[in-house]
Amino acid sequence: MLAVPVDAVPDGPSLIHEPKWDGWRAIVFREHDGVYVQSRAGRNLTTYFPDITRVVRAALPPGVVLDGELIVWDRGRTNFAQLQRRVSAGRGLLRLTRECPAHYVLFDLLADADGQVVLDLPLSERRARLERLLAGAPAPLTLTPRTTDMRQVADWLVQWTVAAGIEGVVSKRRDGRYEPGRRGWWKYRTHITTEAIVGGVTGSIHDPDSALLARFDRHGHLRYTGRTHPLTDAQRTELAEMLSPVRPPRRGAVAHPWPEPLPASWSGQLERPEPLPYVQVDPTVVVEIDADVAFEHQRWRHRVRYARARPDVAVHDVPLLLGEEEGYFGEQ
């Protein structure tokens, strides 16, 4: 079952709210002869999570089908990059699972013991059954918190997004059925308004399609931090008027530090990422952006929204690279 994006957390007596975890959505099947882990897109993730399959097999009876989020904790915060590492770890996977074990945060039950399908039961009943199944389960199998208190929701959005790494809130009807493929839930992503430096553009310098963003790290190196959504016509015109080509480096100066094209590994995409052709620009233009709080490798994982140019802000007044300033985003 899926969720439709909303601009505000819905409120009402029939709704329940849960944190939106920053991980991989996964359906887990406890089969009679083992465990199968499937991504939201239908991909087989079983081999990447031997730590999770082991605890599911030991703790739950055959026939159970679960819905939840695979996450990895790192110093008290979710670390999406550690999930990505599992795909490419190869022979180092077992060592990685010991050093950075995964947790499966559960929020729904699709089939009970012996394969009894419970999709048509109300969410409140599915949750009660899930709680009974997980009574005494080991720590890697965790029930997600839930609340009807909007004050608790506000606390999650203010405190947990930075401290714990949640992306926002998912709201559901307490009497709702589980309808695979239907967007019957609501998801609200936490957003921040902040600044970044334009280090390159797709398209051309005179008619940019999107902006490639940068920030300085604490050593003064210009680091790639993400990409904007496609620009509107007005935004293209505004930005083009401010951009300048990269200047030839003076003797002893450092050339533009990014490779061309932008490496596929920088995109944050799991499925078939490709190198990104782009045009380097003189990194002197600061723009205001609207971003969510999901990041990995010190980059925004999702595209951000361009708000406006900030000619009144100097590049060295822009917050430091993600994770290198208090509150992760320089906003706290």
Side-chain angles (χ1 to χ4, degrees):
M1 193 160 176
L2 305 175
V4 61
V6 292
D7 294 327
V9 179
D11 189 12
S14 65
L15 298 179
I16 197 82
H17 310 282
E18 303 170 354
K20 186 181 186 306
W21 296 96
D22 187 16
W24 283 349
R25 177 84 177 274
I27 304 292
V28 170
F29 300 82
R30 172 59 169 102
E31 300 172 334
H32 286 278
D33 57 350
V35 176
Y36 183 80
V37 183
Q38 177 181 295
S39 76
R40 171 179 159 176
R43 182 176 182 180
N44 183 355
L45 300 177
T46 309
T47 57
Y48 304 127
F49 292 92
D51 43 353
I52 295 300
T53 60
R54 183 169 56 249
V55 296
V56 169
R57 187 167 187 169
L60 299 176
V64 166
V65 181
L66 307 161
D67 192 356
E69 196 90 1
L70 293 163
I71 64 172
V72 172
W73 290 107
D74 180 16
R75 292 174 293 181
R77 195 179 195 277
T78 57
N79 188 326
F80 192 86
Q82 291 292 0
L83 287 173
Q84 298 278 54
R85 286 183 63 195
R86 294 201 172 210
V87 175
S88 58
R91 294 181 179 178
L93 178 62
L94 291 180
R95 177 179 56 80
L96 185 61
T97 61
R98 290 193 299 269
E99 295 175 352
C100 302
H103 285 68
Y104 188 36
V105 183
L106 292 148
F107 49 72
D108 219 322
L109 179 70
L110 312 190
D112 209 335
D114 297 322
Q116 179 188 1
V117 177
V118 295
L119 301 181
D120 288 337
L121 293 180
L123 174 61
S124 57
E125 175 60 24
R126 300 198 307 272
R127 171 76 179 207
R129 293 189 179 211
L130 183 58
E131 290 174 353
R132 291 194 291 270
L133 274 174
L134 295 179
L141 301 181
T142 307
L143 269 171
T144 193
R146 55 186 354 218
T147 187
T148 58
D149 186 346
M150 296 303 289
R151 292 171 297 180
Q152 179 68 61
V153 170
D155 184 63
W156 288 347
L157 295 174
V158 172
Q159 304 295 337
W160 285 30
T161 50
V162 170
I166 71 166
E167 293 185 289
V169 169
V170 177
S171 304
K172 306 173 180 179
R173 294 189 184 278
R174 287 189 283 184
D175 61 353
R177 299 170 55 246
Y178 190 101
E179 301 176 83
R182 180 174 178 268
R183 293 188 180 274
W185 300 335
W186 299 268
K187 60 181 177 182
Y188 171 79
R189 289 185 184 273
T190 305
H191 284 257
I192 60 168
T193 299
T194 188
E195 293 83 35
I197 304 162
V198 179
V201 296
T202 60
S204 72
I205 195 171
H206 303 294
D207 187 23
D209 294 326
S210 66
L212 306 187
L213 305 174
R215 281 183 170 179
F216 288 107
D217 63 21
R218 64 183 62 199
H219 303 292
H221 302 139
L222 190 73
R223 302 272 295 276
Y224 172 76
T225 59
R227 182 181 176 188
T228 68
H229 286 285
L231 304 174
T232 66
D233 289 343
Q235 291 168 345
R236 288 174 183 235
T237 300
E238 175 188 65
L239 187 58
E241 291 176 351
M242 302 185 67
L243 296 176
S244 302
V246 173
R247 300 171 183 172
R250 300 182 299 275
R251 178 174 297 180
V254 178
H256 196 294
W258 301 350
E260 296 182 87
L262 211 64
S265 61
W266 290 17
S267 71
Q269 300 300 311
L270 180 62
E271 301 287 349
R272 300 183 181 86
E274 296 182 354
L276 178 67
Y278 75 104
V279 179
Q280 294 181 347
V281 301
D282 192 26
T284 56
V285 175
V286 175
V287 296
E288 184 177 290
I289 58 171
D290 179 45
D292 65 32
V293 295
F295 71 94
E296 61 176 304
H297 302 301
Q298 299 179 296
R299 308 178 193 120
W300 286 291
R301 193 165 73 250
H302 305 129
R303 291 205 194 189
V304 306
R305 297 193 181 279
Y306 177 103
R308 56 176 175 152
R310 290 297 304 271
D312 56 317
V313 177
V315 293
H316 290 288
D317 291 330
V318 171
L320 289 179
L321 187 68
L322 300 173
E324 294 199 355
E325 190 159 315
E326 183 180 357
Y328 287 94
F329 301 98
E331 298 297 319
Q332 307 302 318

